[in-house]
Amino acid sequence: QKEVEQDPGPLSVPEGAIVSLNCTYSNSAFQYFMWYRQYSRKGPELLMYTYSSGNKEDGRFTAQVDKSSKYISLFIRDSQPSDSATYLCAMSVTGANNLFFGTGTRLTVIP
Amino acid sequence: DTAVSQTPKYLVTQMGNDKSIKCEQNLGHDTMYWYKQDSKKFLKIMFSYNNKELIINETVPNRFSPKSPDKAHLNLHINSLELGDSAVYFCASSQTPDQPQHFGDGTRLSIL
């Protein structure tokens, strides 16, 4: 079993839709949780960084962590065609070092 | 200004050759990393350096040797390239080992 599981998609939604992206994990020691966005032929770009359980909001993006269920989510409100990318979840035990990544979910937002 | 830059962007070479990939960051960060992303987009850490000292060395063949001449640079040298080394290699940096990482745009390595 992989440390981090993520549905690879692809996921297609119409512009303006609410998108929900999810990851599950097996290591209960993970405390730091991140979401990265990766455009084609580019490196991952940090979107959200959270510690332990709870919610964090930044503009149209909301990250949720449920440590009891070992489940994290990223919600994108009012999705735009520019949100079309691969979204990677990542997590670690100590800080942001030694990250364990999911395989990424490919999202397409259709105008 | 590119924060984390890698060269070359594309590298096509034959099996058995030795090649190097260079990485430079202008963010003033103390920690740098190398990751490998395979054809299924799975991103896995290879090495991490903090203040020029190796702090993470995952199970990577010893044909791969990182070198950090200073805090702003972390180069990756690969000996005796094999077909399985074909992948995208990403360099990243962070202020300290527990801060979020910033990635370069990757070096696409293809072994013929």
Side-chain angles (χ1 to χ4, degrees):
Chain A
Q1 184 188 8
K2 281 186 187 163
E3 298 259 16
V4 181
E5 299 278 357
Q6 184 175 7
D7 186 341
L11 180 62
S12 291
V13 300
E15 184 175 353
I18 296 175
V19 176
S20 171
L21 304 166
N22 312 294
C23 288
T24 58
Y25 60 94
S26 56
N27 187 349
S28 57
F30 285 143
Q31 296 190 84
Y32 297 84
F33 304 92
M34 283 137 274
W35 285 95
Y36 283 83
R37 177 175 60 197
Q38 186 175 17
Y39 291 115
S40 181
R41 302 273 175 192
K42 292 289 188 181
E45 170 196 7
L46 182 69
L47 276 179
M48 302 289 278
Y49 177 55
T50 55
Y51 170 72
S52 195
S53 284
N55 293 359
K56 183 174 183 178
E57 189 173 320
D58 184 1
R60 296 185 295 110
F61 298 90
T62 300
Q64 284 186 354
V65 175
D66 182 350
K67 289 189 71 180
S68 62
S69 302
K70 299 196 187 74
Y71 187 88
I72 70 170
S73 300
L74 178 71
F75 297 96
I76 307 174
R77 288 184 300 282
D78 187 25
S79 56
Q80 303 294 309
S82 59
D83 295 329
S84 299
T86 296
Y87 289 80
L88 300 152
C89 64
M91 46 199 81
S92 69
V93 174
T94 53
N97 206 4
N98 202 5
L99 291 177
F100 290 84
F101 279 86
T103 50
T105 298
R106 188 170 173 185
L107 171 69
T108 301
V109 180
I110 303 165
Chain B
D1 284 344
T2 306
V4 181
S5 59
Q6 299 177 225
T7 53
K9 222 173 167 165
Y10 299 93
L11 187 51
V12 181
T13 189
Q14 294 199 327
M15 211 163 48
N17 284 352
D18 302 338
K19 290 292 178 185
S20 291
I21 307 171
K22 295 186 176 180
C23 179
E24 176 182 4
Q25 53 95 3
N26 62 5
L27 297 166
H29 288 170
D30 287 345
T31 313
M32 296 186 72
Y33 311 80
W34 277 108
Y35 284 85
K36 179 180 180 181
Q37 189 173 45
D38 62 24
S39 56
K40 294 182 180 176
K41 300 292 187 183
F42 185 60
L43 199 59
K44 187 168 169 56
I45 193 165
M46 299 172 70
F47 302 102
S48 173
Y49 270 71
N50 187 50
N51 282 318
K52 301 195 319 176
E53 287 194 16
L54 183 67
I55 57 173
I56 290 177
N57 182 358
E58 290 297 305
T59 307
V60 176
N62 57 15
R63 298 182 294 105
F64 292 78
S65 52
K67 283 187 173 52
S68 182
D70 54 58
K71 283 198 314 184
H73 295 85
L74 181 63
N75 304 322
L76 184 65
H77 188 76
I78 315 169
N79 288 328
S80 304
L81 281 157
E82 299 178 357
L83 289 175
D85 297 333
S86 295
V88 184
Y89 292 84
F90 285 99
C91 177
S93 73
S94 61
Q95 184 66 56
T96 59
D98 61 350
Q99 291 295 308
Q101 296 171 26
H102 299 260
F103 285 77
D105 284 339
T107 295
R108 280 146 190 85
L109 174 63
S110 297
I111 310 301
L112 303 177

